[in-house]
RNA sequence: GGGCGAGUGGCGGAAUUGGUAGACGCACUGGCUUCAGGAGCCAGCGAUCGCAAGGUCAUAAGAGUUCGAGUCUCUUCUCGCCCACCA
């Protein structure tokens, strides 16, 4: 027998797999497919470190096992190669990033291949390859054409060190995620992707996928959906109204002031009225200078300035309230303004306390359930403490001698504070009680034992002090009623605790002990709130929203924490954004025709407004009334427009059709000869099918048969706007229209439902105007993709923050693809996230030159069945790639809405010192050295054996010795091989147990225990003098996913031809797992005293008898008769003495 | 502050989900073998009492449920991760 020499056999089998193309796959309908995915690496100059392969090895084991189970396995690999480190390296050395990247990829490839992963290398992708990023650019253009990419000037996070704009997501604690330096705010025009439009869809999709719970929770938190209301607060003496978002509209009666974020733009509009403008302005300037970090520093004192001279009006009660600016309100969330309810919000409370603002209690805690037939009362309770003791009264009338707090009913016309002082005097005789603080109000529902009725009592609690010990004599009645004591506080609490009747008193004592400060931020019962009083928080929310909507001062609103995605980078090493800016196109004047809908006309809704806005910008507009509007004839209406239009239908014309104007527009487009510049469809009808009521007039209005080919040919740009909240026109129809006509569908939130009005009002719809106006941003035609990165001299971003591409005037100056005039290219590039947001789709068909991947391949392989990656990517990468996939699904490119059916995460591998591996710490372990010393198989096994897969573990090279020894023992087992068929029943049973365990453990990613079992099996085989070839081969098969090289070699040496990678995965036989005898434990009073061997089918009676007769048991019984004997079948006998 | 997770030998970690705690591996100790070894083989290895048989105590701490708890419930402590003025 030769020695086990990993170096020799590993290179041998790697060459074999490569030559045989063993792991290359194609679509095969006859087999069940399995798509296993790992996060493709960023090919850094440092090469692979020992942490990278954890995920790859795990997924390789799973894929190899699935292959042996007969599945058609796609296990691809690629490189996410755009990124800052390479660019920074280029800046330092002047070497082109493409060249450096190619070298790094070659090195990574060599390293990955040396570990024996069963990747399909023929499908490797590289995000920096123009053949790949052509499709990244193509997807961006689809976003653009569907109105989901827009440019916006806004404050962005700017890292002065990296000279790069950062997405909110990349800022951690106010510092740059990459370099750790502080982040500043800068105003910059940025390309944005409207991920917020997919917020609900991204949330919804989580329900159908199998992700580890943590990933789901993190995604949910990141999206941060909250339901509440938008409420307008009129500003006194101005035409303005401040809109606030709140999740607690039920507390509106307690809103005692308004707070604006320093960024809020209404402040400048109110300038004339603000009497302390300079104070306000300097506060705002201060806030702006501060970083997010400073503004949100933990436990920071609240700061703020009142806007003197202006007041807002609380729409619920008409009260005048003050307006403040404070940086505890964020400009970027909600409306950038809040209604402050200090009694029920911690932050508002702190602010109100600091600035002495009124605190009004409008929600109270509820104790007990309300009962029918009840008596309502207002009562008070007081806590008086002195020297660690508190004052307690005892009610003798009930016969139960119950303890209570001093207090009682509030008389008509008496303040609750006064009534407490009166009650104290009557019950105890103390005359010098003085109230020092409030404990809030509680609604108490209970049965009154003495009065024998149900009570609903609104109880106010107070803390009072006795200024001296003066006492007056109590009345006879009072003395008979009860007595009073001083009890230690805890003792008093104990006395009250046990009776449910006194949960109110206990709550007040607890509030007192916790230093209750009159803040109650939980749900409860509305109080002092006019028509809301008495309603539960949820009922009150519903009622007030309905009320606000009816009054027209507010509405229901869903708000997200998720912000749109800043998609621009002012960098070189990224995908160029394939747009040009053309001033000529932007400034061009058009002729507009506006076509109204069913039962409408030209002078209501958004149409007159749109006409005015367009005319003001120098365009010409024809906004006619159509004939036969109430019983429409679409063909006639189209003809009417064709006959009467004051403009020719050509490249200078833009058509806008609303609702039933849509079909009119299709008919016009069918008939015209030349192509018009643009068509804007506003909630257009496509089929006369509606989700609410039938509209028979519309069925008859035309043949509903349109020649989409012609229509498409007669229009340049198409935009379809749909009201997200208008279900009557089906979204599927709109999607179909978008597909037929090749236009962008934008699902939006117009100001008015269906962009129309019930009455004759004129409404503004800025989104319609935006869609109708010419844009200066012109997409490159798809035939011009990829737009390749030009070669530049310098990779350093400019100090103004522009991309190095901006200096390439030859490249920047170009021709407008639309008008042929001179235009400028966009010089921003895409962020790193772009290429990795869709790579899993490209793997399905990586060579495709016509599409990002063929429909057929995508339909076969998608979704990814199992995606494993790092915990650090469960928020952003996962969210972004789900967003892209959902969008691609919506435009008919991706076959499934969700890209990943299952997502798991591995724990990081730390350096030997327990710290995160990094070059700067000098604790990086290089896999090359490990392979050299111990072999790839040992390295793979150790990576999986070192600890639970989902938890971080520190690297320990010593541990490798153990698995290396194990492999050597496997190798040496050959010596025990005998050729003839032999059976060893004990071993056979163990083998089958282990097949079961390993099969289950691999699926559950419990690799450490799977390997432990393989070691056990090996040890068992070692104990035996001889070993059958069958058993040995079973072991080899189980081993092969973990240590494929040695498994191939030994498989071969046992006389098998071909690769073990496609041998059949062993199945276990449940009947063989069961053994004839079992060890039964005997416990006495829960302590193990003895064990005995017995037949599995031992009867209960026999088991008990044998147990009792065991020598050691008898000794412990000591002649006593057991009280009870319990038998757990096949496991133990438990004897109770 | 909020959410999630975890605390078991000298170390990494097992424990059929309520049933013999410490599988498997590392390190360590003793013995055998070898020219040699970061090699192999055999044995031991939670603490404690005992020559031993055997006993007692042990899964962060404390209480509870149970014939029986590492596992379930409550309280407390410690650590890790993520989020954090999100109205």
């Amino acid at each position: 027998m030769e020695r086990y020499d990993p170096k020799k056999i590993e290179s041998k089998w790697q060459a074999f797999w490569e030559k045989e193309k063993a792991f290359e796959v194609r679509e095969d309908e006859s087999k069940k497919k399995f798509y296993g995915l790992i996060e493709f690496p960023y090919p850094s100059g440092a090469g692979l470190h020992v942490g990278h392969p954890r995920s790859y090895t795990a997924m390789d084991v799973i894929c190899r096992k699935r292959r042996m189970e007969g599945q058609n396995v796609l296990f691809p690999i690629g490189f996410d190669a755009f990124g800052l480190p390479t660019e920074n390296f280029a800046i330092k050395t002047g070497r082109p990033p493409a060249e450096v990247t190619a070298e790094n990829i070659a090195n990574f490839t060599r390293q990955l291949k040396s570990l024996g992963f069963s990747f399909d290398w023929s499908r490797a992708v590289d995000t920096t390859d123009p053949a790949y990023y052509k499709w990244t650019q193509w997807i961006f253009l689809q976003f653009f054409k569907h109105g989901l990419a827009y440019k916006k000037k806004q404050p962005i996070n700017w890292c002065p060190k990296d000279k790069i704009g950062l997405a909110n997501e990349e800022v951690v604690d106010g510092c740059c995620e990459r370099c750790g330096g502080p982040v500043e705010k800068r105003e910059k025009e940025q390309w944005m992707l409207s991920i917020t439009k997919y917020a609900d869809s991204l949330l919804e999709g989580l329900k159908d996928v199998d992700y580890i719970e943590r990933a789901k929770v993190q995604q949910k938190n990141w999206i941060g959906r909250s339901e509440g209301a938008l409420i307008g607060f009129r500003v006194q003496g101005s035409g303005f109204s401040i809109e606030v978002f709140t999740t607690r509209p039920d507390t509106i009666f307690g809103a005692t002031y308004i707070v604006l974020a320093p960024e809020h733009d209404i402040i400048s509009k109110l300038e004339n009225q603000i009497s302390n403008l300079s104070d306000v302005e300097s506060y705002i300037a201060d806030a702006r200078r501060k970083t997010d970090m400073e503004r949100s520093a933990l436990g920071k004192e609240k700061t703020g300035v009142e806007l003197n001279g202006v007041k807002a009006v609380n729409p619920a009660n008409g009260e005048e309230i003050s307006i403040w600016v404070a940086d505890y309100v964020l400009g970027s969330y909600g409306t950038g303004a809040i209604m402050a309810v200090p009694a029920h919000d911690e932050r508002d409370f702190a602010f109100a306390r600091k600035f002495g603002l009124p605190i009004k209690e409008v929600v109270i805690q509820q104790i007990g359930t309300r009962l029918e037939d009840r008596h309502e009362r207002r009562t008070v309770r007081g806590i008086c403490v002195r020297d660690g003791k508190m004052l307690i009264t005892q009610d003798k009338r009930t016969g139960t001698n119950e303890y209570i707090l001093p207090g009682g009913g509030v008389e008509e016309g008496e303040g609750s504070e006064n009534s407490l002082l009166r009650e104290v005097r009557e019950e105890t005789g103390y005359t010098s009680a003085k109230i020092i603080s409030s404990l809030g109000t509680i609604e108490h529902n209970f049965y009154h034992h003495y009065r024998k009725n149900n009570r609903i009592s609104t109880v106010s609690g107070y803390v009072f002090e006795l200024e001296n010990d003066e006492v007056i004599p109590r009345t006879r009645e009072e003395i008979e009623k009860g007595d009073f004591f001083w009890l230690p506080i805890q003792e008093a609490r104990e006395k009250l605790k046990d009776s449910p009747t006194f949960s109110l008193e206990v709550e007040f004592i607890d509030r007192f002990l916790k230093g209750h400060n009159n803040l109650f931020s939980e749900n409860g019962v509305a109080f002092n709130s006019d028509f809301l009083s008495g309603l539960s928080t949820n009922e009150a929310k519903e009622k007030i929203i309905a009320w606000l909507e009816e009054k027209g001062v507010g509405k229901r609103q869903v708000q997200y924490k998720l912000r749109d995605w800043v998609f621009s980078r002012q960098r070189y090493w990224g995908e160029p954004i394939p747009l040009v800016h053309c001033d000529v196109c932007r400034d061009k004047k058009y002729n507009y025709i506006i076509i109204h809908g069913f039962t409408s006309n030209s002078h209501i809704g958004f149409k007159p407004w749109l006409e005015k806005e367009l005319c003001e910008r120098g365009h010409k507009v024809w906004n006619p009334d159509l004939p036969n509007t109430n019983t429409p004839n679409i063909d006639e209406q189209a003809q009417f427009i064709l006959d009467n239009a004051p403009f020719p239908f050509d490249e200078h014309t833009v058509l806008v059709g609303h609702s039933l104007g849509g079909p009119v527009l299709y008919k016009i487009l069918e008939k015209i000869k030349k192509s018009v510049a643009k068509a804007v469809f506003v909630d257009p009808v496509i089929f006369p099918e509606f989700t609410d009521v039938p509209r028979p007039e519309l069925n008859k209005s035309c043949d509903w048969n349109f020649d989409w080919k012609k229509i498409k040919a007669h229009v340049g740009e198409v935009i379809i706007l749909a009201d997200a909240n208008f279900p009557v026109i089906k979204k599927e129809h709109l999607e179909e229209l978008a597909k037929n006509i090749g236009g962008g569908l934008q699902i939006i939130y117009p100001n008015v439902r269906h962009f129309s009005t019930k009455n004759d009002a004129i409404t503004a719809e800025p989104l319609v105007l935006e869609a109708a106006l010419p844009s200066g941003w012109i997409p490159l035609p798809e035939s011009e993709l990829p737009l390749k990165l030009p070669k530049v001299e310098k990779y350093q971003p400019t100090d103004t923050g522009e991309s190095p591409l901006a200096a390439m005037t030859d490249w920047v100056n170009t021709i407008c693809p639309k008008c042929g005039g001179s235009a400028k290219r966009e010089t921003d590039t895409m962020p790193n996230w772009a290429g990795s947001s869709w790579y899993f789709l490209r793997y399905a068909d990586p060579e495709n030159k016509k599409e990002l991947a063929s429909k057929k391949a995508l339909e076969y392989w998608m979704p990814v069945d199992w995606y494993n990656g790092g915990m650090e990517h469960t928020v952003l990468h996962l969210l972004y790639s789900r967003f892209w996939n959902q969008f691609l699904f919506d435009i008919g490119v991706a076959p499934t809405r969700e890209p990943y059916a299952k997502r798991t995460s591995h724990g990081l591998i730390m350096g030997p010192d327990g710290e995160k591996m990094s070059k700067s710490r000098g604790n990086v372990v290089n896999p090359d050295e490990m392979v050299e010393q111990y072999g790839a198989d040992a390295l793979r096994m150790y990576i999986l054996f070192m600890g639970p897969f989902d938890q971080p573990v520190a690297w320990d090279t010593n541990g490798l010795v153990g698995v290396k020894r194990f492999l050597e023992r496997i190798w040496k087992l050959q010596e025990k091989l005998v050729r003839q068929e032999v059976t060893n029943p004990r071993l056979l049973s163990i083998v089958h147990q282990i097949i079961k365990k390993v099969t289950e453990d691999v699926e559950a990613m419990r690799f450490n225990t799977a390997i432990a079992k393989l070691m056990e099996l090996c040890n068992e085989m070692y104990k035996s003098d001889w070993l059958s070839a069958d058993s040995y081969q079973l072991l080899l098969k189980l081993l092969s996913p973990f240590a494929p090289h040695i498994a191939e070699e030994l498989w071969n040496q046992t006389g098998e031809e071909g690769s073990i990678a496609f041998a059949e995965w062993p199945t276990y036989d449940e009947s063989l797992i069961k053994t004839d005898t079992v060890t039964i434990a005997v416990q006495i009073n829960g302590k193990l005293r003895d064990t005995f061997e017995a037949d599995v089918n031992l009867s209960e009676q026999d088991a008990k008898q044998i147990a009792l007769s065991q020598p050691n048991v008898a000794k412990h019984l000591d002649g006593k008769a057991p009280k009870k004997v319990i038998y757990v079948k096949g496991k133990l006998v438990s004897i109770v003495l």
Side-chain angles (χ1 to χ4, degrees), chain A residues 1089-1106:
Chain A
R1089 292 304 178 191
D1090 216 331
T1091 59
F1092 62 92
E1093 296 289 317
D1095 190 278
V1096 231
N1097 297 316
L1098 186 70
S1099 77
E1100 176 158 357
Q1101 209 176 2
D1102 292 347
K1104 287 179 180 174
Q1105 203 169 8
I1106 298 170

Side-chain angles (χ1 to χ4, degrees), chain A residues 26-33 72 856 859-860:
Chain A
R26 346 198 121 153
E27 294 84 84
D28 177 351
E29 293 295 342
S30 71
K31 278 189 182 171
K32 188 176 175 201
K33 69 98 181 178
N72 195 28
K856 199 178 130 243
E859 267 166 11
Y860 183 78

Side-chain angles (χ1 to χ4, degrees), chain A residues 729-747:
Chain A
I729 295 172
K730 288 191 189 165
K731 294 288 175 281
E732 299 97 274
H733 289 175
L734 290 160
E735 277 161 20
E736 202 177 323
L737 172 69
K739 233 184 261 180
N740 286 335
I741 205 163
L745 171 60
Q746 303 180 26
I747 307 221

Side-chain angles (χ1 to χ4, degrees), chain A residues 49 101 130 198 214 226 447 465 476 503 506 527 615 650 701 743 821 857 880 940 962 985 999 1004 1056 1100:
Chain A
H49 70 64
T101 297
Y198 275 74
R214 262 181 83 189
S226 46
Y447 177 75
E465 247 169 24
R476 167 169 225 96
S503 35
V506 175
F527 172 70
C615 289
D650 58 17
S701 62
Y880 290 156
R940 290 168 59 109
T999 304
E1056 294 290 337
E1100 176 158 357

Side-chain angles (χ1 to χ4, degrees), chain A residues 287-399:
Chain A
R288 198 156 276 161
R289 254 202 319 277
K290 281 189 220 166
T291 62
D292 278 2
M293 174 97 127
E294 287 168 325
R295 272 177 66 165
S296 66
L298 185 71
K300 199 199 79 164
E301 267 283 290
K302 297 259 180 301
T303 59
V305 180
E306 184 175 358
L307 305 187
N308 289 338
V310 282
K311 293 280 179 197
V313 179
N314 183 330
N317 55 16
E319 268 173 32
E320 222 176 53
I321 58 179
S322 54
I323 305 174
W324 293 68
V325 202
D327 66 5
Y328 82 92
V329 172
L330 308 175
S332 49
Y333 182 73
T335 60
I338 61 156
M339 64 176 206
V341 186
H344 306 290
D345 181 280
E346 239 175 285
R347 298 150 297 175
D348 299 343
F349 183 80
F351 191 79
R353 270 289 183 83
K354 178 159 177 189
F355 292 100
L357 291 158
I359 299 173
K360 201 176 146 200
E361 192 179 20
V362 293
V363 181
I364 58 176
Q365 186 178 352
Q366 188 181 23
I367 290 180
T369 3
R370 282 186 197 174
L371 297 160
E372 293 298 313
D373 183 28
R374 71 221 178 199
H375 296 256
E376 299 189 15
R377 292 209 70 190
R378 275 194 59 86
T379 58
V380 286
R381 294 284 189 286
I383 287 182
C384 181
V385 177
R386 176 191 274 180
D387 302 330
K389 290 183 175 175
M390 64 183 288
L391 192 56
I392 283 281
T393 61
Q394 188 179 33
D395 193 331
K396 291 175 177 163
R397 293 170 302 176
T398 59

Side-chain angles (χ1 to χ4, degrees), chain A residues 83 164 172 221 226 622 701 759 764 801 1041 1077:
Chain A
I164 191 166
V172 178
N221 290 346
S226 46
W622 185 47
S701 62
N759 49 35
T1077 60

